[in-house]
C-alpha cells in the first residue's frame, strides 16, 4: 500500500510545477457604457484599443470613464474587466466636439437611474437624474420594503394559520377516537380564513437601478469626438474617443414573431417586409406583431457590445415592442378574409413521457397569475397552401409593411421533376447535334450526287 | 457606324448559331440548373413547423454557417428571407456566365491571333463589328439562360409552393446587366493582350479582384477599417460591376426605387463604356495581333 502511495506521489510530482494560466491584467482607462439600444439598456465597455463608442441618437445613454484592469479571456476570446480589484471612476466633464474640434457640449456627471414601468407592453423605459432619480429610487425602496414587510406578515400569519389547523385537526382526531360528534369542529376548521399571499409591486417591470454617477449622453445623429476634462481643466490623457450616434434608416415597420405550437421555445421572426414565412403545416402558429426599426448592422451590434463584429453594408431590423391592441387580417388562397384578435395564452409542458408543449387559452381564474403570451392563433394544416396576413392598429388602420405570406411547403419534393428540369438543356443539345449531323449528312449526299 | 452595327448583327447571329451547335453551353446550363435545383430541394427539406431551419439540411447547414461566418447572420437572413431562389439563381447562372465570358475571350483572342479578324475587316465589317458581334451573342445567350433558369425555378416554385419573390425578379435584371459588364471586360482583355491564354488570365484576374473587393465590402468587421488597401478598394469599386450590383441590392433592401434604377442604369452604362473603350483601342491598334 505504501509503495503504491509513493508511486502515485511520484507520478503526481510534476503537477506541482503546473500553474493556472492567469491572464495578464493591465490597467486601462475605459469608457463604461450603458447604452439604450431601442428596446432596452445594455452594458458594454470600450477599452483603450477601441476608438469609438456607438450610441443610438436621440436617446439617453450613460457613459462613465473608469480606471480598471483589463485582461484577455481566451475561453471567450474577449477582453474582460476586473472591476473587483480596481474600479476608479474619474471625475470631470465630458467634452463633446464636432469633427472640426468645435466644442458642442460639456456634460457634467449626474446621478441617474433608469427603469421600466409596467404597461401593457414592454417599451416603457424612463430615465431620472439627480433629485428625481433619488426620489424614484426611494419610492422603489419604499415599495420594496413595504412588500418585504407584507411578506413577513404573510409568513407569520401563515404559520399561525397552519398551527391553528393542526391544533384543530388534533382535536378532531381525539374527539373521533372518543366517538364524539366532530361536524361542528370540522365546519369551524373549514371556515378559518387562509392568509392571502401578497402580490409583488406591479409598478416596475425593471426596477430602478441603484443610483450611480455618469455622463448622460443624448446626441443627434453624427460622429463626434469626446474627451474627459479633469476638474483642474486639463485633458485626461488617453480619454480621446469618437462617439458614433446612429439613427434608424426606417422606423415603425412591422415584424412578426412566429411560434409554432409544438416548438414554443424556438420562435422565428419575420422581419424583412418582403419575407415569406415558410412552414411545413404540422402545427398551428401563434403570431405576435411588433414594431421594428432598421439600423446599420455594425453600429447596432457595437451598441450592444463594443467588441462585437457586424456588417457595415447591411441594415438589420431590430424588434422594438409589440404593437398594442393590434388586429390581424387573415385571408386564404381563396381570398376569404377574417379578422383575428390578440388573445392571452398559457403554455403547458406536456405531461408524461411525451416531450413538447401545449398552448391553451389563458384562464384568469386558473392558477397562473398572468398569461405566457399575447398572440394571434393562426390555424395551419398541411391542406392549406397559402395564408396572407396583414396587421392593423387599434383603430383598424393597416400598419405599414405588415403584409406577409405564410406558405405551407409541400413535403414531398418531386426529385424526378427537378432532375428532368436540369437535363432539359442536355436533351436540347442531343436534338441539336442530331439535327446537325442529319443536315451535314444530307449536304454530303447531295454534293456527292 | 450603321454598317458596323449591321455587320455586327450579321456576325453576331452567325456566332450565336455556332455557340448553339457546340455542347459546352448546354452542359454548363445543365450544371447550373442542377445546382439550382439542388439548392431548392435542400431548402424545402429545411422547412419545419417553425420555418426555415438550416440545421435540418446538411447542405444548408454548411451554406448558412459559411455565409454567416463571412458576412454575418443578418446577410444570411436577408438572402433567404423570400426563399431559396435568389441564392439558387446566382448559383445556377454563375457557371453559364463564366463559361460564356471565357469562351468569348478565348475565341476573340484566338481569331485575332490567327488573322481571322484581319481577314474579315477587308469586307464591310471592321473591328467594332466584331466586338459588337461577340458582345451581342453573349447578351442573347445570357438572356436566354436566365429565362430558362427562371422558367425552371417557376415550375419548381409551383410544385413546392415556394415564392420566387420580388428580389428574385430584380436579381434577374441585375444579373443580366452584371454579366453584360463582365462580357465587356472580357472583350477588352482579349483586345489589349496578344495571346488567348494571357487574355483569359487577365480577365480572370480582374474578375477575382472585383469579387474580392465586393466580398470584402460585405464582410463582417469589428471596426470600420480605414487603411490604404480599403481606400484602394473604394477607388476600384467605381469600375467594378459588383459595386453597382451591390447598389441595386441595397436599393431593393431600402425600398428605394431610385437607387435600384440608378444601379441598373450605371451597370448598363459601364458595359457601354467598356465596349466603347474596346472600340477605341481596336481602332488605334488595329485588328492585327
Amino acid at each position: 500500500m505504501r509503495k503504491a502511495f509513493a508511486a502515485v506521489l511520484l507520478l503526481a510530482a510534476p503537477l506541482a510545477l503546473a500553474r493556472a494560466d492567469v491572464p495578464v491584467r493591465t490597467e486601462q482607462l475605459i469608457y463604461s457604457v450603458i447604452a439604450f439600444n431601442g428596446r432596452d439598456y445594455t452594458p458594454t465597455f470600450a477599452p483603450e484599443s477601441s476608438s469609438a463608442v456607438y450610441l443610438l441618437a436621440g436617446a439617453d445613454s450613460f457613459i462613465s470613464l473608469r480606471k480598471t484592469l483589463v485582461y484577455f479571456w481566451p475561453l471567450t476570446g474577449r477582453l474582460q474587466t476586473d472591476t473587483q480589484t480596481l474600479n476608479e471612476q474619474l471625475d470631470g466633464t465630458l467634452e463633446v466636439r464636432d469633427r472640426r474640434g468645435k466644442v458642442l457640449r460639456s456634460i457634467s456627471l449626474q446621478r441617474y437611474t433608469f427603469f421600466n414601468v409596467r404597461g401593457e407592453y414592454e417599451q416603457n423605459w424612463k430615465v431620472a437624474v439627480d433629485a428625481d432619480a433619488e426620489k424614484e429610487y426611494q419610492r422603489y425602496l419604499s415599495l420594496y420594503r413595504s412588500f418585504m414587510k407584507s411578506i413577513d406578515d404573510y409568513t407569520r400569519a401563515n404559520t399561525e394559520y397552519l398551527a391553528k389547523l393542526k391544533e384543530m385537526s388534533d382535536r378532531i382526531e381525539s374527539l373521533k377516537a372518543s366517538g364524539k360528534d366532530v361536524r361542528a369542529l370540522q365546519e369551524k376548521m373549514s371556515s378559518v380564513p387562509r392568509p392571502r399571499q401578497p402580490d409583488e409591486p406591479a409598478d416596475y417591470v425593471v426596477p430602478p437601478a441603484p443610483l450611480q454617477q455618469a455622463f448622460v449622453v443624448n446626441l443627434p445623429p453624427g460622429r463626434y469626438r469626446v474627451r474627459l476634462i479633469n476638474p483642474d481643466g486639463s485633458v485626461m490623457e488617453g480619454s480621446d474617443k469618437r462617439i458614433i450616434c446612429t439613427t434608424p434608416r426606417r422606423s415603425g415597420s412591422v415584424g412578426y414573431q412566429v411560434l409554432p405550437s409544438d416548438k414554443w421555445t424556438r420562435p422565428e421572426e419575420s422581419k424583412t417586409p418582403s419575407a415569406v414565412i415558410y412552414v411545413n403545416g404540422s402545427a398551428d402558429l401563434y403570431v405576435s406583431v411588433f414594431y421594428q426599426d432598421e439600423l446599420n448592422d455594425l453600429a447596432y451590434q457595437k451598441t450592444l457590445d463594443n467588441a462585437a463584429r457586424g456588417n457595415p453594408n447591411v441594415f438589420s431590423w431590430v424588434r422594438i415592442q409589440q404593437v398594442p391592441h393590434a388586429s390581424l387580417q387573415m385571408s386564404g388562397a381563396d381570398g376569404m378574409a377574417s379578422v383575428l384578435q390578440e388573445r392571452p395564452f398559457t403554455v403547458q409542458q406536456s405531461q408524461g413521457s411525451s416531450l413538447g408543449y401545449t398552448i391553451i387559452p389563458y384562464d384568469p381564474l386558473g392558477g397562473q397569475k398572468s398569461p405566457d403570451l399575447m398572440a394571434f392563433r393562426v390555424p395551419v394544416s398541411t391542406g392549406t397552401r397559402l395564408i396572407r396576413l396583414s396587421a392593423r392598429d387599434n383603430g383598424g388602420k393597416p400598419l405599414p409593411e405588415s403584409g406577409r405570406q405564410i406558405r405551407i411547403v409541400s413535403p414531398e419534393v418531386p426529385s424526378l421533376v427537378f432532375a428532368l428540369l436540369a437535363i432539359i438543356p442536355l436533351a436540347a443539345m442531343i436534338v441539336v447535334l442530331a439535327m446537325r449531323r442529319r443536315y451535314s449528312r444530307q449536304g454530303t449526299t447531295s454534293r456527292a450526287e | 457606324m450603321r454598317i458596323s452595327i449591321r455587320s455586327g448583327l450579321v456576325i453576331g447571329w452567325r456566332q450565336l448559331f455556332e455557340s448553339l451547335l457546340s455542347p459546352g453551353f448546354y452542359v454548363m446550363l445543365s450544371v447550373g440548373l442542377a445546382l439550382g435545383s439542388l439548392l431548392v430541394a435542400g431548402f424545402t427539406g429545411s422547412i419545419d413547423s417553425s420555418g426555415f431551419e438550416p440545421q435540418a439540411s446538411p447542405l444548408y447547414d454548411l451554406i448558412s454557417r459559411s455565409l454567416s461566418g463571412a458576412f454575418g447572420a443578418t446577410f444570411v437572413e436577408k438572402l433567404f428571407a423570400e426563399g431559396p431562389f435568389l441564392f439558387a439563381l446566382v448559383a445556377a447562372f454563375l457557371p453559364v456566365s463564366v463559361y460564356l465570358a471565357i469562351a468569348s475571350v478565348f475565341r476573340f483572342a484566338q481569331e485575332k491571333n490567327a488573322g481571322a479578324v484581319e481577314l474579315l475587316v477587308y469586307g464591310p465589317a471592321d473591328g467594332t463589328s466584331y466586338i459588337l458581334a461577340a458582345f451581342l451573342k453573349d447578351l442573347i445567350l445570357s438572356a436566354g439562360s436566365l429565362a430558362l433558369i427562371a422558367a425552371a425555378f417557376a415550375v419548381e416554385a409551383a410544385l413546392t409552393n415556394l415564392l420566387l419573390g420580388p428580389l428574385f425578379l430584380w436579381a434577374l435584371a441585375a444579373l443580366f446587366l452584371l454579366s453584360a459588364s463582365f462580357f465587356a471586360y472580357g472583350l477588352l482583355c482579349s483586345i489589349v493582350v496578344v495571346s488567348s491564354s494571357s487574355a483569359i488570365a487577365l480577365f480572370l484576374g480582374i474578375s477575382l479582384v472585383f469579387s474580392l473587393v465586393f466580398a470584402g465590402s460585405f464582410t463582417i468587421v469589428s471596426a470600420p477599417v480605414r487603411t490604404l488597401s480599403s481606400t484602394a478598394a473604394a477607388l476600384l469599386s467605381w469600375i467594378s460591376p459588383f459595386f453597382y450590383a451591390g447598389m441595386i441590392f441595397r436599393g431593393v433592401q431600402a425600398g428605394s426605387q431610385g437607387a435600384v434604377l440608378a444601379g441598373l442604369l450605371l451597370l448598363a452604362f459601364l458595359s457601354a463604356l467598356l465596349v466603347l473603350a474596346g472600340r477605341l483601342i481596336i481602332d488605334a491598334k488595329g485588328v492585327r495581333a
Side-chain angles (χ1 to χ4, degrees), chain A residues 250 263 302 311 313 315, chain B residues 48 78 161 217-218 222 253:
Chain A
R250 284 183 282 180
K263 282 185 188 165
K302 286 185 106 42
N311 198 323
N313 283 310
F315 282 74
Chain B
D48 66 7
K78 284 177 185 283
N161 198 28
S217 73
F218 278 94
S222 61
Q253 290 297 311

Side-chain angles (χ1 to χ4, degrees), chain A residues 289-311:
Chain A
V289 190
F290 56 82
Y291 283 124
Q292 55 182 4
D293 289 351
E294 196 183 29
L295 289 154
N296 181 276
D297 187 53
L298 176 69
Y300 177 66
Q301 297 300 337
K302 286 185 106 42
T303 306
L304 299 180
D305 176 5
N306 196 266
R309 300 198 307 160
N311 198 323

Side-chain angles (χ1 to χ4, degrees), chain A residues 159-422:
Chain A
T159 312
E160 282 169 12
Y161 165 76
L162 292 173
K164 197 169 184 180
L165 284 191
K166 181 155 190 329
E167 183 201 329
M168 291 172 97
S169 174
D170 290 346
R171 271 178 62 198
I172 289 169
E173 287 301 317
S174 61
L175 284 172
K176 268 187 184 171
S178 57
K180 289 182 179 165
D181 186 14
V182 293
R183 275 178 298 180
L185 200 55
Q186 274 176 332
E187 270 174 32
K188 197 180 167 189
M189 188 178 162
S190 61
S191 64
V192 175
R194 189 192 179 103
R196 191 178 160 274
Q197 190 171 354
D199 292 328
E200 280 182 49
D203 302 45
Y204 301 104
V205 179
V206 179
L211 297 196
Q212 292 182 63
Q213 273 203 327
F215 303 109
V216 182
V217 180
N218 186 335
L219 295 167
R223 287 165 182 261
Y224 306 91
R225 296 214 71 93
V226 283
R227 60 186 182 179
L228 182 73
I229 306 296
N230 291 319
D232 63 2
S234 61
V235 176
M236 169 59 74
E237 194 186 339
S239 67
D240 256 312
K241 274 210 192 325
R242 285 182 301 142
I243 287 187
I244 298 171
C245 282
T246 50
T247 188
R249 181 167 73 169
R250 284 183 282 180
S251 287
S253 175
V254 168
Y256 288 82
Q257 180 180 269
V258 180
L259 277 163
S261 55
D262 61 342
K263 282 185 188 165
W264 141 258
T265 49
R266 290 174 64 190
E268 288 283 323
E269 285 184 346
S270 171
K271 292 176 175 172
T272 310
S274 62
V276 179
I277 301 162
Y278 292 111
V279 289
N280 65 6
S282 63
D284 287 346
L285 301 178
Y286 291 83
V287 172
S288 57
V289 190
F290 56 82
Y291 283 124
Q292 55 182 4
D293 289 351
E294 196 183 29
L295 289 154
N296 181 276
D297 187 53
L298 176 69
Y300 177 66
Q301 297 300 337
K302 286 185 106 42
T303 306
L304 299 180
D305 176 5
N306 196 266
R309 300 198 307 160
N311 198 323
N313 283 310
V314 170
F315 282 74
S316 55
W317 288 103
V318 177
R319 179 184 170 147
I320 302 297
Q321 72 156 355
Q322 201 161 339
V323 178
H325 308 292
S327 60
L328 205 61
Q329 183 168 312
M330 183 179 85
S331 60
D334 55 359
M336 290 282 283
S338 58
V339 176
L340 302 177
Q341 295 301 327
E342 207 173 25
R343 300 261 181 259
F345 292 96
T346 307
V347 182
Q348 287 184 343
Q349 191 152 16
S350 301
Q351 299 294 317
S353 58
S354 66
L355 299 170
Y357 300 89
T358 314
I359 298 179
I360 55 166
Y362 169 67
D363 178 12
L365 302 173
Q368 200 165 319
K369 279 184 183 172
S370 59
D372 290 312
L373 77 146
M374 294 281 287
F376 302 93
R377 181 176 168 271
V378 178
V380 173
S381 69
T382 46
T384 323
R385 278 182 71 80
L386 172 68
I387 296 167
R388 287 178 203 279
L389 301 177
S390 69
R392 277 142 206 280
D393 67 9
N394 200 10
K397 203 173 127 196
L399 289 166
E401 296 178 321
S402 69
R404 292 287 192 285
Q405 290 186 19
I406 297 175
R407 284 179 171 258
I408 290 81
V409 174
S410 305
E412 296 92 20
V413 181
S415 313
L416 186 66
V417 181
F418 278 28
L420 282 175
L421 286 170

Side-chain angles (χ1 to χ4, degrees), chain B residues 236-252:
Chain B
L236 201 65
S237 64
W238 290 98
I239 54 165
S240 166
F242 285 128
F243 175 71
Y244 303 105
M247 187 188 275
I248 296 167
F249 175 75
R250 281 188 279 266
V252 172

